[in-house]
Amino acid sequence: MEKKEGEVAKKITAFGKTFILYYGYYSESEKRKGTVGLLPIYPDFLNQPTYTDEGFPFVTQMQDGCKYLLPLSADGDCFSCRHYRQGEDLIGICACEKNRRTNKS
């Protein structure tokens, strides 16, 4: 079955939240060049922060690490950080207390 832009790619539930991923492109240049096919588009948690009920921010494995990054490898992404907690698929949370949202903030 052929994928179409905007169609549901998958549904992911992680740490009590459900995310629906749609097929698309991460940039207009990818779409124009045609070098990359349709991909499931993961949420942009940097520009649209989303938190668990406990206040921990959601992150994707490929997201660049924040200023509190404690790397397990030289990659510099969230997946390589000691604070990263694996959820479903490529979505996890940052368990760093300094990034945790409290009722006061």
Side-chain angles (χ1 to χ4, degrees):
M1 186 172 192
E2 190 176 324
K3 302 178 240 181
K4 294 183 181 168
E5 190 172 5
E7 282 186 339
V8 173
K10 58 176 115 176
K11 186 177 180 180
I12 297 172
T13 300
F15 301 98
K17 302 264 189 230
T18 299
F19 304 94
I20 298 174
L21 281 55
Y22 297 92
Y23 285 114
Y25 301 92
Y26 281 100
S27 70
E28 277 300 312
S29 65
E30 284 180 353
K31 185 176 183 176
R32 277 194 313 273
K33 291 177 184 174
T35 54
V36 176
L38 288 170
L39 301 167
I41 302 299
Y42 286 80
D44 180 353
F45 294 125
L46 291 176
N47 290 311
Q48 297 176 336
T50 305
Y51 298 86
T52 65
D53 291 342
E54 294 79 25
F56 293 106
F58 280 92
V59 296
T60 59
Q61 287 184 6
M62 55 281 212
Q63 188 172 310
D64 288 338
C66 70
K67 63 183 177 183
Y68 304 115
L69 178 74
L70 292 175
L72 295 168
S73 69
D75 293 333
D77 54 24
C78 285
F79 185 66
S80 68
C81 181
R82 295 175 200 272
H83 298 297
Y84 180 79
R85 299 296 176 266
Q86 179 68 50
E88 181 71 25
D89 201 276
L90 301 177
I91 294 179
I93 60 167
C94 173
C96 178
E97 285 294 330
K98 293 178 182 173
N99 282 331
R100 188 176 189 183
R101 183 176 69 176
T102 64
N103 290 337
K104 298 174 198 163
S105 59

